[in-house]
Amino acid sequence: MVNEVKVMVLDGENKTALSITRSLGKKGFRVIVGSSSSTCMAGKSRYCYKTVKYPSVRENRGRFVDFMLNFLAREKVDVLLSATDNTLVPIMENRDDFEKHAALPLPSYDSFMKAYDKGLTMEIAKRLGVPIPKTYIPADKGELLRISRDIGYPAVLKPRISKYWSGGKYRSGIRRYVSTPEELVSNYEEMDRLIPNPIIQEFVNGDGAGIFLLFDGEKTVLRSAHKRIKEVPLDGGPSVLCRSMEPDPKLLAYSESLLREIDWFGVAMVEFRKNPETGEAWLMEINGRFWGSLELAVSSGIDYPYHLVMLTLGRDVDEDIEYKIGHRCRDIRGEFEHLYLYIFKNPGGRPSFKDAAGNIIDTMKPFKRDTSNFIFSWKDPVPFLYSSSRYLRNKFREKIGR
């Protein structure tokens, strides 16, 4: 009986954690939500059985690990799930200790690093014939200078890993765009001091295209894809409005070959950039965890959290899967932020009156046909009300503080 199974979901301040909590809670699991933040949105869900606040990973990774190991042992948690890299990375680094107290629906540490380290990912992809942007990892200053002269511009600098701890300090890396050899060298050296050995790639033009998978070592258990309609920021970021679609067969084949090669177990998002005119695509990265638009997949009929937990427990899933193509999912607050940026801070210039009016009308529609919401739910409204009140309070305090 699943109602006897305890599942702990971490990063409860995150909308992905809310989607996981609702998915599993509706199925009858006893969901414990953990967070280091006082803004634990998923903990406000009616499907949350219990909440707990743990030490911040950013402030003290060791305290987080010790707290979690003691809590898991005391509560007798059956399955542990992370919603972000913040908690996933220290769990993977201490996998043997965590597995003594709860099942981890995760690959081996070696497999995880092949996905988490972008340098390793690109090496594997190149060997398999999966298209990648021209990628460079300089061995020394001389090679860095040579690359800066030879590479095409604009170019992109990316940290090999997104989360890094050094000397007890937490560091988070973001990509940087450079337009000249001088910018490349100075930005590379600055990034290298924060997170060692970043990678350099030529910029490839196109739209983001993600393939979402639940993978079991050799085979795909679930798969889906979506089209991003609105993003924040406008030049690329989390989707605030997206639509479910059939996975591109070529990108799906690339994704499956990558995950099969690294012996992956669990969920993953394989991200590509695809040129809409030529159809050419390049691998960007593999995210070995749940993704921000998870609710779209769940509301479209692909319940990744439920199937992942059942697969981890070795239980069969007795239900038909009906994947709804064309279903949309929106973040209401995010859409209003997108509208503001689209009209007033659009990098492509001020939109025409017709385009602006069309965006306003579309955003202002309270209910859209075949559309669900990332956070709002009539059956579970408190997380949306709670998060919105916190958002408005913070915005008010920002105004007062100026």
Side-chain angles (χ1 to χ4, degrees):
M1 296 293 291
V2 297
N3 58 9
E4 297 175 357
V5 177
K6 285 186 182 180
V7 181
M8 185 170 187
V9 180
L10 305 182
D11 311 291
E13 68 282 1
N14 184 280
K15 68 180 181 183
T16 305
L18 176 61
S19 182
I20 299 170
T21 300
R22 286 171 170 167
S23 161
L24 298 177
K26 290 175 183 178
K27 297 292 187 182
F29 291 94
R30 302 171 73 185
V31 182
I32 302 173
V33 176
S35 175
S36 62
S37 171
S38 57
T39 312
C40 183
M41 179 172 58
K44 304 301 180 182
S45 171
R46 62 180 291 190
Y47 301 105
C48 171
Y49 155 74
K50 184 176 184 177
T51 60
V52 62
K53 185 175 182 179
Y54 48 71
S56 169
V57 178
R58 293 170 179 259
E59 295 175 3
N60 194 313
R61 186 170 44 163
R63 284 187 59 210
F64 164 78
V65 171
D66 291 341
F67 177 92
M68 285 301 306
L69 292 174
N70 289 328
F71 182 83
L72 294 173
R74 186 171 67 250
E75 288 291 326
K76 294 182 170 51
V77 172
D78 295 292
V79 182
L80 178 64
L81 299 174
S82 289
T84 74
D85 288 339
N86 288 339
T87 55
L88 178 58
V89 173
I91 288 172
M92 288 302 304
E93 291 175 339
N94 298 274
R95 182 188 177 115
D96 291 344
D97 291 329
F98 276 91
E99 278 195 313
K100 294 175 184 177
H101 304 293
L104 303 179
L106 298 167
S108 68
Y109 181 77
D110 180 63
S111 296
F112 173 76
M113 288 307 298
K114 289 176 181 176
Y116 189 59
D117 184 323
K118 293 181 180 65
L120 295 178
T121 303
M122 293 300 151
E123 290 176 8
I124 294 168
K126 186 176 181 180
R127 188 173 73 246
L128 294 176
V130 176
I132 63 172
K134 288 185 179 180
T135 302
Y136 306 89
I137 305 176
D140 52 40
K141 179 66 175 287
E143 188 173 1
L144 173 62
L145 293 173
R146 180 184 62 77
I147 293 169
S148 72
R149 293 190 297 268
D150 296 343
I151 196 172
Y153 289 94
V156 188
L157 306 181
K158 298 179 181 178
R160 290 179 69 114
I161 57 178
S162 59
K163 302 290 183 283
Y164 184 74
W165 284 265
S166 176
K169 293 184 178 180
Y170 171 92
R171 293 169 181 172
S172 180
I174 57 173
R175 65 180 181 269
R176 301 184 185 184
Y177 297 94
V178 294
S179 301
T180 66
E182 294 75 21
E183 282 186 8
L184 189 150
V185 172
S186 63
N187 278 272
Y188 181 92
E189 291 179 336
E190 182 181 345
M191 184 179 287
D192 185 51
R193 287 192 291 270
L194 295 173
I195 301 179
N197 304 315
I199 66 173
I200 304 170
Q201 290 185 322
E202 286 193 341
F203 176 78
V204 291
N205 190 34
D207 300 327
I211 302 294
F212 311 104
L213 296 154
L214 172 56
F215 207 77
D216 185 11
E218 287 290 330
K219 65 181 186 297
T220 297
V221 179
L222 297 173
R223 61 178 180 265
S224 63
H226 75 226
K227 178 178 177 57
R228 298 176 180 181
I229 302 173
K230 296 180 182 179
E231 299 173 300
V232 173
L234 301 183
D235 58 355
S239 301
V240 296
L241 180 65
C242 48
R243 181 176 65 244
S244 62
M245 59 183 288
E246 283 285 1
D248 181 300
K250 182 170 63 175
L251 301 188
L252 176 61
Y254 287 149
S255 302
E256 290 176 329
S257 68
L258 284 165
L259 297 185
R260 192 175 297 113
E261 176 69 17
I262 64 177
D263 193 27
W264 191 262
F265 178 88
V267 294
M269 171 189 177
V270 186
E271 187 169 356
F272 297 85
R273 187 172 290 273
K274 184 177 180 180
N275 188 310
E277 297 179 358
T278 66
E280 190 175 7
W282 303 267
L283 174 70
M284 293 289 105
E285 62 182 350
I286 301 174
N287 287 312
R289 51 168 170 75
F290 287 112
W291 45 93
S293 61
L294 174 64
E295 182 58 31
L296 172 64
V298 175
S299 59
S300 299
I302 309 292
D303 196 339
Y304 284 97
Y306 174 59
H307 283 261
L308 175 62
V309 171
M310 294 296 279
L311 182 64
T312 302
L313 296 174
R315 301 186 184 185
D316 294 330
V317 176
D318 184 22
E319 69 175 23
D320 295 328
I321 296 175
E322 184 180 348
Y323 182 34
K324 294 183 287 185
I325 303 298
H327 184 75
R328 304 199 303 179
C329 197
R330 70 185 301 205
D331 178 344
I332 298 173
R333 191 168 66 230
E335 275 203 86
F336 277 97
E337 185 175 356
H338 176 276
L339 177 63
Y340 170 79
L341 295 173
Y342 179 77
I343 295 176
F344 298 107
K345 296 187 177 181
N346 196 323
R350 186 68 65 90
S352 67
F353 175 81
K354 181 179 179 181
D355 290 341
N359 200 324
I360 292 171
I361 293 171
D362 183 65
T363 301
M364 296 296 289
K365 290 179 181 177
F367 307 107
K368 299 181 181 181
R369 186 178 180 182
D370 296 325
T371 302
S372 54
N373 290 271
F374 285 119
I375 300 175
F376 179 75
S377 167
W378 286 111
K379 294 182 179 180
D380 188 28
V382 176
F384 175 79
L385 297 174
Y386 174 74
S387 64
S388 296
S389 66
R390 298 279 301 198
Y391 174 81
L392 293 173
R393 185 175 69 177
N394 291 338
K395 286 296 182 182
F396 179 75
R397 286 177 174 175
E398 288 177 12
K399 292 290 185 181
I400 295 299
R402 289 177 182 174

